[in-house]
Amino acid sequence: MSNNIEALPSILDMCCGSRMFWFDKQDERAVFSDIRSEEHTLCDDRRLVIRPDLIADFRALPFADDSFPVVVFDPPHLERVGDNAWMGKKYGKLNKETWRDDLRDGFAEAFRVLWPHGVLIFKWNETQIPTREILALTDEKPIITQRTGKNDKTHWILFVKGKGND
């Protein structure tokens, strides 16, 4: 394990966006990371604020191996969304040509920075891409899943990193 364990918070949110599912959006136990930092006014005049603690690409995280006991991975799940659509602003957008490689790399990075026996909390909405296609992008096997949301399209999936999964 990393020598700087005490210096880092215990949770990494790799794609925090607006931190929408966090009880405490300023939770000091977490490092909130995202590739973008921006603000938008939505059509109903609400503000969408994406302000990560750290600007970073989930495909190449700036942390040492085995840095966190808990990682949250809620990547963009839409590949077909307009440039000015509020869904794209809120959730981000997948690259149509590279999304499989991007998410495969994201899983690899999540497990790389996760402690052995650490927990990965993965969230996916299968409105456009079925969850089975996403789970095929990692060799890790999930242990728990829960479907939620409209028509049960959102999947919360829990993984535990094995001891020798380098």
Side-chain angles (χ1 to χ4, degrees):
M1 286 189 211
S2 174
N3 291 334
N4 63 348
I5 290 171
E6 291 181 27
L8 288 174
S10 58
I11 303 165
L12 171 63
D13 187 338
M14 297 170 56
C15 305
C16 68
S18 63
R19 308 177 191 192
M20 69 185 102
F21 54 74
W22 283 83
F23 282 110
D24 178 356
K25 295 182 185 327
Q26 303 302 320
D27 197 314
E28 293 183 4
R29 297 171 291 182
V31 172
F32 295 98
S33 175
D34 206 295
I35 198 166
R36 58 196 178 128
S37 179
E38 55 196 37
E39 290 187 35
H40 302 280
T41 300
L42 303 178
C43 59
D44 61 2
D45 287 329
R46 285 181 299 148
R47 298 288 298 155
L48 174 66
V49 178
I50 298 166
R51 286 283 177 259
D53 300 328
L54 174 71
I55 300 288
D57 186 330
F58 68 73
R59 298 168 298 181
L61 296 168
F63 300 106
D65 296 357
D66 307 325
S67 293
F68 297 92
V70 178
V71 173
V72 177
F73 187 26
D74 178 16
H77 57 269
L78 301 170
E79 70 171 329
R80 296 178 310 276
V81 64
D83 290 337
N84 291 317
W86 74 269
M87 290 285 287
K89 290 176 181 175
K90 186 171 183 178
Y91 297 109
K93 183 177 179 179
L94 294 168
N95 181 301
K96 288 182 185 182
E97 288 80 35
T98 64
W99 68 262
R100 285 176 183 83
D101 289 334
D102 295 340
L103 293 177
R104 185 178 292 112
D105 291 347
F107 274 118
E109 279 294 273
F111 287 110
R112 181 186 67 77
V113 301
L114 198 59
W115 288 2
H117 307 292
V119 173
L120 172 63
I121 301 165
F122 178 71
K123 180 178 163 271
W124 184 256
N125 182 288
E126 65 179 3
T127 298
Q128 294 182 359
I129 302 167
T131 303
R132 71 181 176 281
E133 288 186 34
I134 303 308
L135 293 179
L137 301 174
T138 181
D139 292 333
E140 300 292 335
K141 301 298 177 213
I143 61 168
I144 293 172
T145 185
Q146 177 65 45
R147 296 171 75 148
T148 63
K150 188 175 182 181
N151 300 320
D152 283 341
K153 296 257 185 208
T154 298
H155 296 251
W156 291 86
I157 301 169
L158 188 83
F159 295 83
V160 174
K161 180 179 175 180
K163 196 172 191 174
N165 296 352
D166 298 328

